[in-house]
């Protein structure tokens, strides 16, 4: 007898429909075919123990399990539950027709307990797309999966509970999550507040421009000036996530296995990457395609401290996602795309000792050492960073400063102007939009051309200056870019 049970496999952050076909015939062997990874092949050992521990009979015959389509590589333990159910159905312990409208995913322990799996939200999206009415997942994944509307989600703790539910011997309530109500409960504010930072008004202004326009930034200053403290407060002045953005971010964290029990990301992520990180840790990949730090910062902030200390190979992988807002990972066995719409905020010292041009400390670095240190960051990467922000010692006499909520109101107002004008934030405007919405007067055009010649800036820098100037104008609710806005944007293009 051949039985089919519905399941799904992860490919990047997407899920694809997988049909688990099981046939029991004469023999004594177990086989799994269909481009199954090691964890999938091992599932039969877990399944056998779970079935017998829960009081069911494990057939002592030849069991052939096919995972179709065979061209998609299957990884992980997500097929434990559908494999177990297919064996029970093929051996007559469960009616196959009772599973037709369901899609199943879940890992089994040796005692038959259901363990959570990665990517339950993506599986739920695929289940609805494929036309299934119901989804069965481990109880710990139920809240996450239930965020998908028009799909009945059931969460269980053991294999026994699933079988009893399918056999109609027990009833189970579907999990209901009111996503909009859950999303509305969180105002998106962070504990780290700009009111904690004394002085550094010029840096706060630059970070406000970054937040308002979605621009990338690089802070350059000596150690102890508060660069990291300022960076951790940037997410708190970004506009709150929309529900669609929250679901997109949640989906990434679900696939990465870093989602908490609430099941919905309501705050913009802040990812701080250590300079020892590899290129794979940054962009993602590995034997199984998993999102890296770039994608984990989607709709949030990616902070890279001590930027010149990163390996050159690691820094160069930033170029594609900064330009295209997605990262493509191509390997011999797969090719996947991960979203990467993030704000990059990097920090660095002006020289190896950190005290170049410091008002009170003497720099011990030679000009050649400073040039070598700064040359670790390539010109093409610097071109893609809109604001180069000089950070000096903080003025501790300044005690009164704006809080994040006040700054955030201005950022939201500016972002609303941008969305109403072009449908995207200023950093995402294409060349046509820049020509249409960033027009300059004759005087402003002359000043910009002089700056281009004086600082030997690239054509990419020209466009980015216009975008930053447009953001400065939006923060002032100005309909046109003036000389003041343009001069401020130009000032952010040179490493001090």
């Amino acid at each position: 007898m051949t039985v089919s049970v519905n399941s799904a496999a992860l490919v990047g952050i997407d899920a694809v429909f997988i049909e688990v076909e099981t046939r029991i015939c004469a023999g004594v062997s177990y086989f799994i075919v269909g481009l199954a990874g090691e964890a999938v092949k091992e599932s039969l050992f877990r399944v056998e123990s779970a079935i017998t521990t829960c009081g069911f009979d494990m057939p002592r015959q030849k069991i052939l399990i096919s995972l179709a389509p065979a061209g998609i590589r299957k990884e992980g333990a997500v097929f434990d539950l559908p494999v177990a159910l297919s064996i029970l159905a093929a051996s007559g312990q469960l009616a196959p027709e009772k599973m037709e409208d369901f899609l199943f995913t879940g890992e089994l322990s040796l005692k038959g307990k259901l363990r959570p799996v990665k990517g339950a939200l993506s599986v739920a999206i695929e289940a609805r797309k494929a036309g299934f009415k119901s989804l069965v997942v481990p109880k710990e994944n139920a809240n996450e999966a239930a965020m998908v509307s028009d799909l009945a989600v059931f969460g269980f703790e053991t294999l026994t509970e699933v079988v009893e539910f399918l056999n109609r011997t027990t009833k189970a309530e579907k999990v209901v999550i009111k996503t909009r109500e859950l999303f509305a409960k969180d105002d998106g504010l962070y504990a780290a507040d700009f009111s904690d930072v004394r002085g550094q008004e010029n840096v706060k202004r630059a970070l406000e421009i970054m937040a308002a326009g979605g621009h990338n930034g690089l802070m350059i200053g000596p150690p102890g000036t508060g660069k990291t403290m300022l960076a951790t407060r940037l997410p708190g002045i970004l506009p709150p996530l929309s529900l669609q953005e929250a679901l997109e971010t949640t989906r990434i964290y679900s696939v990465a296995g870093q989602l908490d029990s609430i099941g919905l990301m309501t705050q913009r992520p802040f990812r701080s990457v250590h300079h020892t990180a590899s290129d794979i840790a940054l962009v993602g990949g590995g034997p199984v395609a998993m999102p890296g730090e770039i994608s984990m910062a989607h709709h949030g902030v990616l902070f890279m401290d001590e930027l010149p200390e990163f390996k050159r190979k690691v820094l160069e992988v930033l170029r594609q996602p900064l330009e295209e807002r997605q990262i493509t990972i191509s390997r011999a066995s797969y090719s996947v795309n991960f979203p990467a719409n993030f704000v990059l905020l990097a920090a660095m010292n002006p020289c190896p000792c950190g005290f170049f041009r410091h008002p009170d400390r003497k720099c011990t670095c030679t000009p050649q050492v400073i040039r070598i240190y700064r040359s670790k960051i390539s010109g093409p990467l610097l071109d893609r960073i809109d604001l180069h922000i000089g950070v000096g010692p903080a003025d501790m006499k300044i005690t009164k400063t704006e809080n994040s909520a006040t700054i955030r109101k201005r950022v939201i107002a500016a972002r609303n102007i941008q969305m109403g004008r072009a449908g995207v934030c200023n950093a995402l405007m294409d060349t046509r939009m820049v020509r249409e919405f960033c027009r300059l007067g004759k005087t402003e055009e002359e000043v910009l051309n002089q700056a281009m010649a004086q600082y030997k800036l690239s054509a990419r820098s020209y466009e980015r200056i216009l975008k930053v100037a447009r953001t400065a104008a939006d923060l002032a609710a100005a309909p046109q870019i003036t000389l003041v806005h343009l001069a401020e944007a130009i000032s952010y293009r040179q490493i001090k």
Side-chain angles (χ1 to χ4, degrees), residues 178-191 235-236 238-243 246 260 262 264-268 408:
K178 296 181 179 179
T179 309
R180 294 188 180 277
E181 291 183 10
L182 179 64
F183 180 72
K185 288 181 180 178
D186 198 309
D187 58 9
L189 292 177
Y190 292 70
L238 287 168
L241 286 169
S242 66
L243 181 56
D260 58 29
I262 297 175
L264 181 65
M265 297 281 292
T266 56
Q267 291 187 333
R268 293 189 181 272
R408 194 190 204 192

Side-chain angles (χ1 to χ4, degrees), residues 8 34 47 67 121 128 266-267 366 399 402 418 432 443 483:
V47 167
L67 306 178
L121 179 56
R128 183 179 63 181
T266 56
Q267 291 187 333
T366 65
T399 56
E402 289 183 308
Q418 297 163 38
R432 180 192 60 80
T443 302
L483 197 57

Side-chain angles (χ1 to χ4, degrees), residues 201-220:
E201 298 304 315
N202 63 314
V203 185
K204 293 176 185 177
R205 166 65 180 177
L207 295 179
E208 182 178 339
I209 291 176
M210 285 181 60
H215 303 289
N216 305 310
L218 170 62
M219 296 186 291
I220 310 105

Side-chain angles (χ1 to χ4, degrees), residues 316-387:
E316 292 308 303
V317 300
L318 286 168
R319 289 162 61 175
Q320 181 206 2
L322 286 178
E323 202 71 34
E324 301 177 7
R325 303 293 171 164
Q326 67 173 8
I327 183 73
T328 302
I329 303 172
S330 298
R331 300 289 185 267
S333 58
Y334 63 82
S335 179
V336 296
N337 291 324
F338 286 119
N341 185 12
F342 62 95
V343 171
L344 172 66
L345 179 57
M348 61 178 282
N349 295 328
C351 65
C353 80
F355 298 108
F356 179 64
R357 291 182 178 174
H358 193 282
D360 303 316
R361 301 285 296 274
K362 184 178 179 180
C363 176
T364 59
C365 304
T366 65
Q368 183 180 5
V369 169
I370 295 174
R371 283 195 300 271
I372 294 173
Y373 178 75
R374 294 189 174 187
S375 66
K376 293 180 180 179
I377 308 171
S378 68
L381 178 57
L382 281 175
D383 253 1
R384 290 169 169 82
I385 299 178
D386 304 340
L387 289 84

Side-chain angles (χ1 to χ4, degrees), residues 33-54:
V33 298
L35 208 59
E38 285 301 316
V40 180
K41 292 178 181 178
E42 293 169 354
S43 68
L44 275 172
F45 298 102
R46 295 189 295 271
V47 167
E48 180 180 16
S49 177
I51 286 177
T52 55
T53 303
C54 291

